[in-house]
């Protein structure tokens, strides 16, 4: 292993020890990270550039999301002589994405509630209105019944619009 000053400082901070040229990088990996690291490292050793976002665990209980880029390093004869690893801390962005995903799940639950539970109640009201025998109603009560029917149908249309909007957002990948 060879490294720059930033890598040396990070190892000292997260592992509370120094890093030495020639160290086995595997000793700096937590068990939770070894499988991902070995897979990505192997891809780079095969000549493929790998760029991934992964959550990294450290011995001091710190957890970071990193955008890690693995690049094969070639000599003049096009032989791979090493792997260059570049990492950027994306923890804040990832937390925001995870928070947004949780909010979207909650909004989908609310939309489902609107579209199923409230829709069922509105359908019951519309059905009950249609069962009312209007032959014995006064003109005034007929008007009230008509307004009730119109309002229930408007509410039903509003619920359908909510459901349609949520379905469109899910189709577009926003929800």
């Amino acid at each position: 292993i060879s490294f720059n000053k930033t890598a040396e400082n990070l190892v000292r901070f997260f592992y509370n020890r120094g890093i030495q040229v020639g160290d086995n990088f595997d000793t700096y990996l937590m068990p939770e990270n070894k499988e991902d690291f070995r897979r990505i490292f192997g891809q780079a050793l095969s000549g493929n550039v790998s760029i991934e976002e992964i959550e990294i665990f450290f011995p001091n209980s710190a957890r970071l999301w990193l955008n890690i880029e693995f690049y094969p390093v070639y000599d003049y004869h096009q032989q791979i002589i090493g792997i260059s690893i570049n990492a950027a801390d994306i923890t804040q962005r990832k937390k925001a994405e995870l928070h947004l995903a949780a909010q979207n799940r909650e909004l989908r639950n609310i939309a489902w509630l609107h579209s199923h539970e409230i829709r069922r109640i509105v359908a019951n009201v519309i059905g009950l209105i249609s069962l009312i025998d209007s032959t014995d109603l006064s003109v005034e009560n007929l008007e009230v019944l008509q307004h009730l029917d119109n309002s229930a149908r408007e509410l039903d249309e509003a619920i359908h619009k909510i459901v349609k909007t949520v379905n469109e957002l899910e189709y577009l990948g926003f929800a």
Side-chain angles (χ1 to χ4, degrees):
I1 184 173
S2 61
F3 50 88
N4 61 20
K5 190 69 172 171
T6 301
E8 181 179 13
N9 292 337
L10 287 173
V11 166
R12 191 170 315 285
F13 178 77
F14 287 113
Y15 295 91
N16 200 27
R17 65 179 176 156
I19 186 173
Q20 303 295 318
V21 172
D23 280 355
N24 181 346
F25 196 83
D26 208 48
T27 62
Y28 297 98
L29 297 173
M30 295 298 291
E32 301 90 343
N33 300 121
K34 286 186 180 191
E35 185 179 326
D36 280 337
F37 179 83
R38 288 177 181 152
R39 177 182 51 79
I40 300 166
F41 196 82
Q43 290 171 354
L45 282 176
S46 297
N48 299 309
V49 173
S50 290
I51 301 172
E52 296 199 23
E53 295 178 356
I54 58 174
E55 189 174 24
I56 302 292
F57 302 88
F58 294 97
N60 65 357
S61 299
R63 297 167 68 168
L64 295 176
W65 276 96
L66 298 176
N67 181 64
I68 301 183
E69 302 173 356
F70 289 72
Y71 295 95
V73 177
Y74 299 91
D75 65 10
Y76 292 111
H77 304 290
Q78 295 302 306
Q79 299 297 310
I80 295 175
I81 58 170
I83 305 298
S84 173
I85 304 172
N86 300 309
D89 183 352
I90 58 169
T91 304
Q92 292 307 106
R93 189 197 83 201
K94 207 63 173 173
K95 284 181 179 179
E97 286 175 2
L98 294 171
H99 178 73
L100 186 59
Q103 284 181 324
N104 283 341
R105 279 191 303 278
E106 191 58 33
L107 286 173
R108 277 195 301 277
N109 289 340
I110 291 169
W112 185 90
L113 178 69
H114 277 85
S115 66
H116 292 83
E117 295 300 317
I118 296 174
R119 172 69 180 90
R120 179 183 55 80
I121 295 167
V122 170
N124 287 344
V125 169
I126 292 171
L128 290 171
I129 291 169
S130 70
L131 294 176
I132 294 175
D133 182 8
S134 59
T135 56
D136 294 335
L137 294 179
S138 67
V139 173
E140 195 173 84
N141 283 340
L142 278 171
E143 285 181 26
V144 169
L145 182 61
Q146 187 60 47
H147 286 298
L148 183 61
D149 186 52
N150 290 341
S151 294
R153 292 183 190 282
E154 286 175 19
L155 182 57
D156 193 41
E157 284 179 36
I159 292 168
H160 282 287
K161 286 180 185 176
I162 291 170
V163 172
K164 182 180 177 191
T165 300
V166 168
N167 288 338
E168 288 171 354
L169 288 174
E170 283 182 345
Y171 176 76
L172 296 173
F174 291 112

